[in-house]
Amino acid sequence: MMKFFAENTEQLNLLAGTTVILPVVTIGNVGQLAIDLVMHSCGFKKLGALESDAVVPVVGRDAFSTSSPDFTTSLEVFFLASASLTVVQQRSPVVKGQTAQFVQEMWAWIEEMGFKQVIVLGSLDASRRLDFHLAGSQLRFVSYPSHDQSHDEQLRQLGWLPLESDGASVVLRPTSVALRLCSYAQQVGSKLRVTVLCPFCSEGNNTPEAIVMADCLACLFDLPKEKWQAPPSWEHIEDAVIGDDHLLY
């Protein structure tokens, strides 16, 4: 069972009706990089931490300050009131064989908190692309319910394409956690909208992909993307850049 340890229980009612963003651990950790960038630049506040037996326990220094005595754990919850956004930052993987348990626990918590929609940040293995994927946009999305045309069109205008459902569907899969969250919503007949954002990438310096993902979130939720500031969690990434230089990649 997933437990939520809130720093201030009086703030829990703020989460109802907000959008929750879930970056899952996957290739290149693009979602984690993007969310750290967004939260550091926009001033998200930490509300607490989640605990689950299905996630590898981890502890580390504060991701947003080199001088803070605070520490980071596997699953932490952040909030930005001005944009009605909640973030569950995941910094360690799901225990092998526990994906189904994690998805069920996370979905139960999502429903308990009363969120209005879910954005899952994942990625796709660039080495498994087929020939027709090599040209054009390298950004893909999966959405539920699939008939929400206005939402899908907004993503298309931002350069994101629906994940192909032809013969490549077996080869091209976002991380299983990301897809299972989307399929689980369909399985239980949820009325929540679930969107999985998943760019093609490889392991290495994925800050360019993270910036593109952050830019997408900025457009979707009216965040000031012209003020991106690299968080301390990026400082050990070689050649991490903010600005037009990332377009070279």
Side-chain angles (χ1 to χ4, degrees):
M1 180 178 179
M2 185 171 288
K3 299 178 181 178
F4 184 25
F5 297 92
E7 295 185 357
N8 184 349
T9 56
E10 294 180 358
Q11 295 180 318
L12 295 184
N13 60 347
L14 299 176
L15 303 185
T18 67
T19 294
V20 62
I21 302 177
L22 306 171
V24 295
V25 175
T26 181
I27 298 169
N29 294 325
V30 177
Q32 282 75 22
L33 292 170
I35 280 300
D36 272 0
L37 175 63
V38 170
M39 291 196 296
H40 182 65
S41 302
C42 298
F44 278 69
K45 302 300 182 183
K46 184 178 176 179
L47 292 187
L50 291 166
E51 181 184 78
S52 170
D53 293 338
V55 178
V56 176
V58 69
V59 65
R61 80 172 198 189
D62 190 334
F64 306 111
S65 173
T66 58
S67 59
S68 171
D70 292 338
F71 53 86
T72 292
T73 57
S74 305
L75 292 167
E76 295 181 307
V77 181
F78 299 84
F79 181 65
L80 183 65
S82 61
S84 294
L85 286 178
T86 302
V87 166
V88 178
Q89 177 63 298
Q90 182 182 352
R91 298 194 184 277
S92 66
V94 173
V95 176
K96 186 176 181 179
Q98 298 298 312
T99 298
Q101 176 185 332
F102 175 74
V103 169
Q104 292 174 11
E105 289 182 354
M106 180 58 73
W107 195 260
W109 183 77
I110 288 172
E111 292 190 327
E112 179 185 352
M113 293 297 103
F115 296 112
K116 71 174 182 180
Q117 71 168 325
V118 182
I119 305 290
V120 184
L121 307 182
S123 59
L124 294 160
D125 188 348
S127 69
R128 304 186 71 179
R129 290 173 295 176
L130 301 182
D131 288 348
F132 67 88
H133 295 113
L134 300 179
S137 175
Q138 299 298 291
L139 312 174
R140 297 295 188 271
F141 73 89
V142 178
S143 63
Y144 167 84
S146 58
H147 59 265
D148 191 343
Q149 296 299 321
S150 61
H151 177 66
D152 291 358
E153 181 58 29
Q154 185 180 17
L155 289 172
R156 288 190 181 93
Q157 291 177 359
L158 295 173
W160 295 76
L161 302 177
L163 181 61
E164 290 80 0
S165 58
D166 56 12
S169 61
V170 175
V171 178
L172 297 174
R173 287 182 176 272
T175 173
S176 60
V177 173
L179 270 188
R180 287 198 187 186
L181 280 166
C182 199
S183 61
Y184 191 77
Q186 185 174 9
Q187 176 185 333
V188 299
S190 174
K191 296 181 180 180
L192 292 179
R193 183 170 66 204
V194 182
T195 304
V196 181
L197 301 179
C198 43
F200 288 107
C201 69
S202 303
E203 295 290 354
N205 176 11
N206 288 295
T207 54
E209 291 86 353
I211 294 170
V212 170
M213 184 175 279
D215 285 346
C216 175
L217 294 174
C219 291
L220 290 175
F221 301 107
D222 196 25
L223 302 174
K225 65 180 181 178
E226 68 277 3
K227 296 183 179 180
W228 291 146
Q229 299 175 7
S233 59
W234 282 29
E235 67 181 22
H236 297 297
I237 302 175
E238 186 176 358
D239 297 327
V241 295
I242 298 289
D244 291 341
D245 288 345
H246 78 275
L247 299 177
L248 296 175
Y249 295 85

